[in-house]
Amino acid sequence: MSLLKQYQSVRSHSVNLCKNLLIEDFSLQASEEVSPPKWHLAHTTWFFEQFILVNYLKGYQVKHPQFNFLFNSYYNAMGRRTARNQRGLMTRPAVSEVFEYRAYVDEAMSQLIQDAKEEVVKLITLGLNHEQQHQELLITDLKYSLWHNPLDPAVMDIQEYSIEAKSHWIDVKEGIYEIGYSGNEFCFDNELKAHRVFLEPFSIASSLVTNGEYLEFMDSGGYEESRFWHDEGWSWVQNQSQKAPLYWEEIDGKWTYYTLAGRKDLDLEASLAHVNFYEASAFAAWKGARLPTEFEWEVAQSKFSWGKRWEWTNSAYLPYPGFSIAPGALGEYNGKFMVNQMVLRGASVATSENHSRPTYRNFFHPQFRWQFMGIRLAKSL
């Protein structure tokens, strides 16, 4: 597929995700951590404008001088920006103006792509992968915001919950293994550099933990037993009176959960989702197992099926040997977040097509769970 076709395909998918939204839905922001659909559509456009068009398309004029303030996310080098918890307060520009902004930038990008040099092609590819990341965030942020509505709005069906195969243990021998990306296609800088690690022998589950298995943990008093939890996790349980995964609700004695296709009865055989690192670790302890490290996951991934859930690992998000931060604002993309976060591996039902690979490193703070986060168990041999 040509670069222009790739660009058009990715950009169209963002718009298609919003096809069933009401105009009022575009500005929903239920918490600081999530962003409104309108902001995602504009921010991904801003990325192409500020990092590519302004620098590489002769004579290009920005759509509006204040869009840099409104749609910058966290790039300090790009100047002042809207507070993250205030993105939903923007009634202007209107949704129609955001779509006009996308069309304006798309037209300019189409011109630039025609004879783009290698340096620009690499930036465009980064921009497309950046937009694919925001496509997943648009889905998960929207779900979190709509969940607060007792009407249980149904806006899309991405088959969030499907039956998980019966699990068995997969043994992996001790040895020295190569970790990280070593190919010639695109990867993010946090997947570099490829390096070797030594692993002790371990076993890893062939399947993800199911809703039914997690319900057993709940019914056995898992949220009342401090011995299974990290100290921070136990404080989180106590301070927020937690007793179930995000979106679960017991109605008339029956467990249900909210999905973007409306409220559904709990499917006991489907893959668990929306648990945080604390919950994942506590469940693993209750089962007499543990979470895999990200290195164990990467070494074993070819032996099991993955892609339904981002899978918590027991690895802190840290740089690989030889990692370097790129100069300029784009150097803020990953490196500055390598503290106090945990790595997740795999992909999810909300991940865009062609946006997953075995070396992909997702990362979140341990208390967050609004992404499609699940559990795969491991144990030492």
Side-chain angles (χ1 to χ4, degrees):
M1 185 185 295
S2 70
L3 182 59
L4 180 58
K5 290 290 187 183
Q6 291 177 49
Y7 178 87
Q8 293 170 337
S9 175
V10 170
R11 296 283 285 170
S12 294
H13 184 56
S14 298
V15 174
N16 288 338
L17 289 173
C18 303
K19 65 183 180 181
N20 294 327
L21 300 187
L22 302 177
I23 200 70
E24 292 84 357
D25 296 332
F26 279 88
S27 294
L28 277 178
Q29 183 181 22
S31 75
E32 180 176 357
E33 289 74 37
V34 306
S35 297
K38 183 172 77 171
W39 186 88
H40 284 295
L41 293 173
H43 167 71
T44 51
T45 304
W46 168 89
F47 191 97
F48 286 109
E49 181 175 67
Q50 289 294 324
F51 290 120
I52 300 175
L53 291 173
V54 167
N55 298 318
Y56 295 99
L57 185 60
K58 186 176 181 180
Y60 178 79
Q61 297 292 318
V62 297
K63 179 66 172 171
H64 193 292
Q66 290 301 325
F67 282 3
N68 188 58
F69 176 84
L70 291 174
F71 303 128
N72 179 8
S73 54
Y74 53 67
Y75 297 93
N76 295 318
M78 298 302 289
R80 295 173 62 247
R81 60 189 182 272
T82 302
R84 185 172 180 177
N85 64 350
Q86 295 179 7
R87 292 171 182 172
L89 300 180
M90 288 182 252
T91 59
R92 311 292 173 91
V95 174
S96 60
E97 292 176 281
V98 169
F99 282 112
E100 290 172 6
Y101 180 35
R102 287 181 68 88
Y104 179 82
V105 166
D106 287 347
E107 182 178 354
M109 286 295 298
S110 296
Q111 296 176 34
L112 182 64
I113 287 172
Q114 299 302 326
D115 56 353
K117 303 293 189 294
E118 182 179 358
E119 177 186 7
V120 178
V121 169
K122 289 182 178 179
L123 288 174
I124 294 171
T125 302
L126 174 62
L128 294 176
N129 279 270
H130 168 260
E131 179 140 355
Q132 288 177 310
Q133 289 182 314
H134 277 273
Q135 288 165 353
E136 180 157 6
L137 288 170
L138 190 158
I139 292 170
T140 54
D141 291 1
L142 180 64
K143 180 177 181 179
Y144 184 79
S145 293
L146 289 176
W147 167 59
H148 290 76
N149 189 327
L151 298 178
D152 293 330
V155 296
M156 68 177 75
D157 188 357
I158 58 172
Q159 301 295 306
E160 295 179 29
Y161 292 94
S162 59
I163 293 177
E164 192 69 22
K166 185 174 177 59
S167 189
H168 62 272
W169 290 105
I170 300 170
D171 293 343
V172 180
K173 297 179 180 179
E174 71 174 48
I176 297 175
Y177 298 92
E178 184 172 290
I179 297 296
Y181 188 78
S182 58
N184 298 315
E185 302 298 323
F186 173 84
C187 75
F188 287 109
D189 58 359
N190 64 1
E191 300 171 58
L192 300 172
K193 292 182 177 179
H195 59 288
R196 295 176 299 166
V197 300
F198 174 77
L199 297 180
E200 298 286 353
F202 68 96
S203 290
I204 192 166
S206 63
S207 297
L208 297 168
V209 171
T210 65
N211 291 323
E213 291 174 299
Y214 198 83
L215 186 58
E216 291 177 13
F217 166 70
M218 292 164 53
D219 288 343
S220 72
Y223 281 86
E224 288 81 46
E225 288 280 356
S226 61
R227 60 194 174 99
F228 299 129
W229 297 80
H230 289 93
D231 183 64
E232 279 189 11
W234 185 242
S235 295
W236 172 80
V237 168
Q238 296 294 296
N239 292 338
Q240 299 196 28
S241 301
Q242 296 292 343
K243 64 174 185 177
L246 184 63
Y247 303 126
W248 285 33
E249 183 178 354
E250 192 172 18
I251 300 175
D252 297 329
K254 180 185 294 186
W255 281 102
T256 68
Y257 39 40
Y258 175 69
T259 78
L260 283 165
R263 183 160 298 279
K264 308 282 187 181
D265 289 340
L266 188 74
D267 185 341
L268 298 179
E269 298 182 345
S271 315
L272 172 71
H274 301 299
V275 289
N276 63 25
F277 175 77
Y278 301 138
E279 291 168 300
S281 295
F283 176 85
W286 176 76
K287 291 289 286 186
R290 60 175 174 82
L291 301 178
T293 68
E294 66 166 318
F295 301 146
E296 289 172 336
W297 190 97
E298 186 171 325
V299 166
Q301 56 81 28
S302 63
K303 304 177 185 294
F304 55 76
S305 175
W306 55 270
K308 294 180 183 180
R309 303 286 183 256
W310 287 105
E311 304 177 24
W312 284 108
T313 74
N314 206 33
S315 296
Y317 181 48
L318 296 170
Y320 285 168
F323 172 80
S324 61
I325 296 177
L330 285 175
E332 299 183 50
Y333 202 109
N334 281 313
K336 71 179 185 180
F337 299 112
M338 291 176 172
V339 62
N340 297 332
Q341 307 207 55
M342 302 302 290
V343 174
L344 300 97
R345 289 301 197 100
S348 86
V349 291
T351 304
S352 297
E353 188 177 358
N354 300 319
H355 191 71
S356 61
R357 56 189 163 271
T359 58
Y360 198 117
R361 305 175 77 200
N362 203 348
F363 54 94
F364 279 92
H365 289 284
Q367 72 270 26
F368 291 140
R369 55 183 186 163
W370 87 100
Q371 301 301 304
F372 286 94
M373 298 157 160
I375 306 172
R376 187 185 302 275
L377 298 176
K379 60 183 181 180
S380 302
L381 295 177

PDB file of all heavy atoms in Angstrom, residues 285-304:
ATOM      1  N   ALA A 285      -1.427 -13.754  43.073  1.00  0.00           N
ATOM      2  CA  ALA A 285      -1.008 -14.254  44.392  1.00  0.00           C
ATOM      3  C   ALA A 285      -2.031 -15.233  44.947  1.00  0.00           C
ATOM      4  O   ALA A 285      -1.685 -16.270  45.534  1.00  0.00           O
ATOM      5  CB  ALA A 285      -0.805 -13.080  45.349  1.00  0.00           C
ATOM      6  N   TRP A 286      -3.311 -14.914  44.784  1.00  0.00           N
ATOM      7  CA  TRP A 286      -4.383 -15.799  45.242  1.00  0.00           C
ATOM      8  C   TRP A 286      -4.320 -17.153  44.547  1.00  0.00           C
ATOM      9  O   TRP A 286      -4.601 -18.195  45.161  1.00  0.00           O
ATOM     10  CB  TRP A 286      -5.715 -15.118  44.980  1.00  0.00           C
ATOM     11  CG  TRP A 286      -6.933 -15.934  45.301  1.00  0.00           C
ATOM     12  CD1 TRP A 286      -7.437 -16.202  46.532  1.00  0.00           C
ATOM     13  CD2 TRP A 286      -7.803 -16.583  44.359  1.00  0.00           C
ATOM     14  NE1 TRP A 286      -8.580 -16.975  46.434  1.00  0.00           N
ATOM     15  CE2 TRP A 286      -8.825 -17.219  45.100  1.00  0.00           C
ATOM     16  CE3 TRP A 286      -7.819 -16.676  42.964  1.00  0.00           C
ATOM     17  CZ2 TRP A 286      -9.845 -17.953  44.495  1.00  0.00           C
ATOM     18  CZ3 TRP A 286      -8.833 -17.392  42.367  1.00  0.00           C
ATOM     19  CH2 TRP A 286      -9.835 -18.026  43.112  1.00  0.00           C
ATOM     20  N   LYS A 287      -3.904 -17.171  43.285  1.00  0.00           N
ATOM     21  CA  LYS A 287      -3.789 -18.413  42.516  1.00  0.00           C
ATOM     22  C   LYS A 287      -2.479 -19.139  42.778  1.00  0.00           C
ATOM     23  O   LYS A 287      -2.231 -20.210  42.211  1.00  0.00           O
ATOM     24  CB  LYS A 287      -3.906 -18.113  41.023  1.00  0.00           C
ATOM     25  CG  LYS A 287      -5.295 -17.674  40.573  1.00  0.00           C
ATOM     26  CD  LYS A 287      -6.293 -18.825  40.595  1.00  0.00           C
ATOM     27  CE  LYS A 287      -6.056 -19.790  39.456  1.00  0.00           C
ATOM     28  NZ  LYS A 287      -7.131 -20.831  39.396  1.00  0.00           N
ATOM     29  N   GLY A 288      -1.612 -18.579  43.610  1.00  0.00           N
ATOM     30  CA  GLY A 288      -0.313 -19.199  43.856  1.00  0.00           C
ATOM     31  C   GLY A 288       0.620 -19.054  42.677  1.00  0.00           C
ATOM     32  O   GLY A 288       1.532 -19.876  42.473  1.00  0.00           O
ATOM     33  N   ALA A 289       0.439 -18.007  41.905  1.00  0.00           N
ATOM     34  CA  ALA A 289       1.263 -17.764  40.720  1.00  0.00           C
ATOM     35  C   ALA A 289       1.765 -16.321  40.780  1.00  0.00           C
ATOM     36  O   ALA A 289       1.798 -15.700  41.846  1.00  0.00           O
ATOM     37  CB  ALA A 289       0.448 -18.024  39.457  1.00  0.00           C
ATOM     38  N   ARG A 290       2.154 -15.795  39.636  1.00  0.00           N
ATOM     39  CA  ARG A 290       2.624 -14.412  39.545  1.00  0.00           C
ATOM     40  C   ARG A 290       2.366 -13.899  38.142  1.00  0.00           C
ATOM     41  O   ARG A 290       1.906 -14.654  37.267  1.00  0.00           O
ATOM     42  CB  ARG A 290       4.122 -14.328  39.867  1.00  0.00           C
ATOM     43  CG  ARG A 290       5.008 -15.151  38.917  1.00  0.00           C
ATOM     44  CD  ARG A 290       6.480 -14.919  39.226  1.00  0.00           C
ATOM     45  NE  ARG A 290       7.374 -15.781  38.456  1.00  0.00           N
ATOM     46  CZ  ARG A 290       7.769 -15.544  37.205  1.00  0.00           C
ATOM     47  NH1 ARG A 290       7.322 -14.472  36.541  1.00  0.00           N
ATOM     48  NH2 ARG A 290       8.601 -16.387  36.584  1.00  0.00           N
ATOM     49  N   LEU A 291       2.654 -12.633  37.919  1.00  0.00           N
ATOM     50  CA  LEU A 291       2.603 -12.083  36.568  1.00  0.00           C
ATOM     51  C   LEU A 291       3.938 -12.324  35.885  1.00  0.00           C
ATOM     52  O   LEU A 291       4.993 -12.329  36.532  1.00  0.00           O
ATOM     53  CB  LEU A 291       2.319 -10.572  36.615  1.00  0.00           C
ATOM     54  CG  LEU A 291       1.017 -10.137  37.284  1.00  0.00           C
ATOM     55  CD1 LEU A 291       0.916  -8.617  37.283  1.00  0.00           C
ATOM     56  CD2 LEU A 291      -0.182 -10.753  36.585  1.00  0.00           C
ATOM     57  N   PRO A 292       3.946 -12.521  34.573  1.00  0.00           N
ATOM     58  CA  PRO A 292       5.216 -12.681  33.870  1.00  0.00           C
ATOM     59  C   PRO A 292       5.957 -11.353  33.794  1.00  0.00           C
ATOM     60  O   PRO A 292       5.340 -10.277  33.858  1.00  0.00           O
ATOM     61  CB  PRO A 292       4.789 -13.141  32.473  1.00  0.00           C
ATOM     62  CG  PRO A 292       3.435 -12.541  32.290  1.00  0.00           C
ATOM     63  CD  PRO A 292       2.786 -12.573  33.650  1.00  0.00           C
ATOM     64  N   THR A 293       7.265 -11.410  33.670  1.00  0.00           N
ATOM     65  CA  THR A 293       8.001 -10.197  33.340  1.00  0.00           C
ATOM     66  C   THR A 293       7.773  -9.900  31.860  1.00  0.00           C
ATOM     67  O   THR A 293       7.330 -10.772  31.098  1.00  0.00           O
ATOM     68  CB  THR A 293       9.503 -10.359  33.581  1.00  0.00           C
ATOM     69  OG1 THR A 293      10.042 -11.305  32.638  1.00  0.00           O
ATOM     70  CG2 THR A 293       9.780 -10.828  35.015  1.00  0.00           C
ATOM     71  N   GLU A 294       8.070  -8.681  31.453  1.00  0.00           N
ATOM     72  CA  GLU A 294       7.871  -8.381  30.036  1.00  0.00           C
ATOM     73  C   GLU A 294       8.828  -9.191  29.162  1.00  0.00           C
ATOM     74  O   GLU A 294       8.495  -9.536  28.019  1.00  0.00           O
ATOM     75  CB  GLU A 294       8.019  -6.891  29.755  1.00  0.00           C
ATOM     76  CG  GLU A 294       9.379  -6.271  29.950  1.00  0.00           C
ATOM     77  CD  GLU A 294       9.460  -4.889  29.303  1.00  0.00           C
ATOM     78  OE1 GLU A 294       8.956  -4.712  28.180  1.00  0.00           O
ATOM     79  OE2 GLU A 294      10.060  -3.980  29.930  1.00  0.00           O
ATOM     80  N   PHE A 295       9.986  -9.554  29.673  1.00  0.00           N
ATOM     81  CA  PHE A 295      10.920 -10.362  28.898  1.00  0.00           C
ATOM     82  C   PHE A 295      10.403 -11.787  28.733  1.00  0.00           C
ATOM     83  O   PHE A 295      10.479 -12.369  27.647  1.00  0.00           O
ATOM     84  CB  PHE A 295      12.296 -10.372  29.576  1.00  0.00           C
ATOM     85  CG  PHE A 295      12.903  -9.011  29.748  1.00  0.00           C
ATOM     86  CD1 PHE A 295      13.690  -8.721  30.852  1.00  0.00           C
ATOM     87  CD2 PHE A 295      12.675  -8.001  28.822  1.00  0.00           C
ATOM     88  CE1 PHE A 295      14.251  -7.467  31.024  1.00  0.00           C
ATOM     89  CE2 PHE A 295      13.234  -6.736  28.981  1.00  0.00           C
ATOM     90  CZ  PHE A 295      14.026  -6.471  30.087  1.00  0.00           C
ATOM     91  N   GLU A 296       9.850 -12.337  29.807  1.00  0.00           N
ATOM     92  CA  GLU A 296       9.255 -13.675  29.715  1.00  0.00           C
ATOM     93  C   GLU A 296       8.120 -13.671  28.703  1.00  0.00           C
ATOM     94  O   GLU A 296       7.989 -14.597  27.896  1.00  0.00           O
ATOM     95  CB  GLU A 296       8.759 -14.124  31.095  1.00  0.00           C
ATOM     96  CG  GLU A 296       9.871 -14.443  32.078  1.00  0.00           C
ATOM     97  CD  GLU A 296       9.358 -14.701  33.482  1.00  0.00           C
ATOM     98  OE1 GLU A 296       8.258 -14.223  33.826  1.00  0.00           O
ATOM     99  OE2 GLU A 296      10.062 -15.386  34.260  1.00  0.00           O
ATOM    100  N   TRP A 297       7.283 -12.636  28.754  1.00  0.00           N
ATOM    101  CA  TRP A 297       6.156 -12.553  27.821  1.00  0.00           C
ATOM    102  C   TRP A 297       6.653 -12.531  26.382  1.00  0.00           C
ATOM    103  O   TRP A 297       6.142 -13.263  25.530  1.00  0.00           O
ATOM    104  CB  TRP A 297       5.337 -11.297  28.116  1.00  0.00           C
ATOM    105  CG  TRP A 297       4.035 -11.254  27.364  1.00  0.00           C
ATOM    106  CD1 TRP A 297       2.805 -11.625  27.822  1.00  0.00           C
ATOM    107  CD2 TRP A 297       3.838 -10.840  25.995  1.00  0.00           C
ATOM    108  NE1 TRP A 297       1.855 -11.463  26.836  1.00  0.00           N
ATOM    109  CE2 TRP A 297       2.465 -10.987  25.712  1.00  0.00           C
ATOM    110  CE3 TRP A 297       4.683 -10.369  24.999  1.00  0.00           C
ATOM    111  CZ2 TRP A 297       1.921 -10.677  24.448  1.00  0.00           C
ATOM    112  CZ3 TRP A 297       4.149 -10.062  23.740  1.00  0.00           C
ATOM    113  CH2 TRP A 297       2.781 -10.216  23.482  1.00  0.00           C
ATOM    114  N   GLU A 298       7.653 -11.715  26.104  1.00  0.00           N
ATOM    115  CA  GLU A 298       8.130 -11.581  24.723  1.00  0.00           C
ATOM    116  C   GLU A 298       8.760 -12.881  24.217  1.00  0.00           C
ATOM    117  O   GLU A 298       8.559 -13.278  23.068  1.00  0.00           O
ATOM    118  CB  GLU A 298       9.143 -10.441  24.625  1.00  0.00           C
ATOM    119  CG  GLU A 298       9.587 -10.149  23.198  1.00  0.00           C
ATOM    120  CD  GLU A 298      10.424  -8.893  23.091  1.00  0.00           C
ATOM    121  OE1 GLU A 298      10.168  -7.923  23.837  1.00  0.00           O
ATOM    122  OE2 GLU A 298      11.346  -8.877  22.238  1.00  0.00           O
ATOM    123  N   VAL A 299       9.493 -13.555  25.085  1.00  0.00           N
ATOM    124  CA  VAL A 299      10.130 -14.818  24.690  1.00  0.00           C
ATOM    125  C   VAL A 299       9.087 -15.896  24.410  1.00  0.00           C
ATOM    126  O   VAL A 299       9.226 -16.689  23.482  1.00  0.00           O
ATOM    127  CB  VAL A 299      11.106 -15.282  25.799  1.00  0.00           C
ATOM    128  CG1 VAL A 299      11.518 -16.737  25.593  1.00  0.00           C
ATOM    129  CG2 VAL A 299      12.338 -14.378  25.823  1.00  0.00           C
ATOM    130  N   ALA A 300       8.007 -15.914  25.191  1.00  0.00           N
ATOM    131  CA  ALA A 300       7.011 -16.991  25.083  1.00  0.00           C
ATOM    132  C   ALA A 300       5.865 -16.685  24.144  1.00  0.00           C
ATOM    133  O   ALA A 300       5.087 -17.580  23.809  1.00  0.00           O
ATOM    134  CB  ALA A 300       6.451 -17.302  26.472  1.00  0.00           C
ATOM    135  N   GLN A 301       5.722 -15.450  23.668  1.00  0.00           N
ATOM    136  CA  GLN A 301       4.497 -15.029  22.963  1.00  0.00           C
ATOM    137  C   GLN A 301       4.164 -15.849  21.722  1.00  0.00           C
ATOM    138  O   GLN A 301       2.998 -15.972  21.352  1.00  0.00           O
ATOM    139  CB  GLN A 301       4.575 -13.539  22.609  1.00  0.00           C
ATOM    140  CG  GLN A 301       5.767 -13.111  21.799  1.00  0.00           C
ATOM    141  CD  GLN A 301       5.640 -13.369  20.322  1.00  0.00           C
ATOM    142  OE1 GLN A 301       4.532 -13.391  19.784  1.00  0.00           O
ATOM    143  NE2 GLN A 301       6.755 -13.578  19.647  1.00  0.00           N
ATOM    144  N   SER A 302       5.162 -16.430  21.087  1.00  0.00           N
ATOM    145  CA  SER A 302       4.886 -17.224  19.887  1.00  0.00           C
ATOM    146  C   SER A 302       4.216 -18.556  20.219  1.00  0.00           C
ATOM    147  O   SER A 302       3.713 -19.245  19.329  1.00  0.00           O
ATOM    148  CB  SER A 302       6.180 -17.484  19.116  1.00  0.00           C
ATOM    149  OG  SER A 302       7.088 -18.244  19.893  1.00  0.00           O
ATOM    150  N   LYS A 303       4.170 -18.913  21.501  1.00  0.00           N
ATOM    151  CA  LYS A 303       3.608 -20.187  21.930  1.00  0.00           C
ATOM    152  C   LYS A 303       2.144 -20.082  22.353  1.00  0.00           C
ATOM    153  O   LYS A 303       1.532 -21.082  22.696  1.00  0.00           O
ATOM    154  CB  LYS A 303       4.447 -20.767  23.086  1.00  0.00           C
ATOM    155  CG  LYS A 303       5.925 -20.944  22.769  1.00  0.00           C
ATOM    156  CD  LYS A 303       6.690 -21.459  23.980  1.00  0.00           C
ATOM    157  CE  LYS A 303       8.181 -21.523  23.733  1.00  0.00           C
ATOM    158  NZ  LYS A 303       8.522 -22.524  22.695  1.00  0.00           N
ATOM    159  N   PHE A 304       1.600 -18.872  22.377  1.00  0.00           N
ATOM    160  CA  PHE A 304       0.194 -18.704  22.754  1.00  0.00           C
ATOM    161  C   PHE A 304      -0.446 -17.617  21.886  1.00  0.00           C
ATOM    162  O   PHE A 304       0.234 -16.851  21.191  1.00  0.00           O
ATOM    163  CB  PHE A 304       0.043 -18.378  24.242  1.00  0.00           C
ATOM    164  CG  PHE A 304       0.820 -17.194  24.721  1.00  0.00           C
ATOM    165  CD1 PHE A 304       0.415 -15.892  24.448  1.00  0.00           C
ATOM    166  CD2 PHE A 304       1.981 -17.362  25.483  1.00  0.00           C
ATOM    167  CE1 PHE A 304       1.126 -14.812  24.900  1.00  0.00           C
ATOM    168  CE2 PHE A 304       2.700 -16.279  25.943  1.00  0.00           C
ATOM    169  CZ  PHE A 304       2.276 -14.995  25.650  1.00  0.00           C
TER     170      PHE A 304
END
